[in-house]
Amino acid sequence: MHGAWADASSWNAVAAALQSQGFTVLAPTNLLRGPATDAAYLSSFLAQRTTGPVVLAGHSYGGFVITNAALGGGDVRALVYVDAFIPDEGETTFGILDGSGSALAVPDPTTVLDLAGYPGAPEGDVEAFLKPDAVHSAFAQDLPSDERWLIAAGQRPITLSANTTPSVVAAWKTLPSWAVVGLEDRVIPPRTQRSMAERAGAKITDVSASHVSMVSQPQAAIDALLAAAAHVGG
């Protein structure tokens, strides 16, 4: 499950490696509308599109989604978090990032985000796009310039309400989990990632990479997924 300002292609390198080893890989769209809506969609997807044991992986805000969806559909046996939020009940993305030193935790969010209305939005809600400068300096700073510009151009926005809606279910309390922590992550700082991962009892791997480590240093995510699959006998 991809996160905000990304799409399923952010998993391409990881997916290709796993497919080459005979695994069935699915990378559904994250609606990026809010934990409840997005988790319900993912649970429905899992129930209809998977058979047998499932290892569920999430990047960034995708961690919120898999945490809330894992117990709702499909035979999910393990969770893998890559540069991701691992929320407990009642937590929000903005709440987790507050005081963390994240490049997004700034007094005026319009310094890093471009905001735009969208059809059917609840009153006061908007979509948030990362400014190109933020993509280059904080989101994907370890990728080549041309790849950063493609991310800025093709990013899928997340609603502001998705970042203020509390998590409801903490599937990591009942499922084994793995976490890849990007040591150069400026969106979810590594100390914040590690704190959440340790709370979840996750098996932690560090990687010297940005917030998009599965793009710039995919082997860490591949290894975590393989370890999770071996654990569940996949």
Side-chain angles (χ1 to χ4, degrees), residues 127-205:
E127 289 185 325
F129 296 81
L130 269 186
K131 288 182 178 291
D133 284 350
V135 172
H136 288 287
S137 65
F139 187 77
Q141 70 273 14
D142 59 346
L143 294 181
S145 177
D146 57 345
E147 293 185 36
R148 286 183 261 128
W149 280 114
L150 288 174
I151 289 173
Q155 62 178 294
R156 297 187 66 249
I158 188 170
T159 63
L160 277 189
S161 62
N163 293 287
T164 59
T165 301
S167 184
V168 176
V169 181
W172 48 263
K173 292 183 177 179
T174 56
L175 295 173
S177 60
W178 283 254
V180 176
V181 174
L183 298 180
E184 299 168 17
D185 195 328
R186 297 173 186 170
V187 174
I188 312 175
R191 183 171 61 180
T192 302
Q193 289 186 45
R194 187 177 305 281
S195 176
M196 291 185 290
E198 290 175 347
R199 179 179 65 183
K203 299 170 181 63
I204 301 171
T205 301

Side-chain angles (χ1 to χ4, degrees), residues 18-99:
L18 296 174
Q19 287 173 333
S20 73
Q21 297 191 44
F23 289 96
T24 299
V25 180
L26 299 172
T29 295
N30 190 341
L31 302 180
L32 302 174
R33 286 296 180 255
T37 299
D38 302 337
Y41 178 83
L42 178 56
S43 293
S44 176
F45 179 95
L46 292 169
Q48 297 179 74
R49 299 276 289 138
T50 66
T51 58
V54 174
V55 174
L56 197 54
H59 169 246
S60 194
Y61 167 77
F64 255 81
V65 181
I66 69 170
T67 298
N68 283 268
L71 304 180
D75 185 15
V76 178
R77 302 285 187 88
L79 303 169
V80 177
Y81 296 92
V82 180
D83 306 309
F85 292 101
I86 312 176
D88 202 349
E89 293 98 334
E91 293 182 334
T92 66
T93 62
F94 282 173
I96 291 170
L97 293 181
D98 186 37

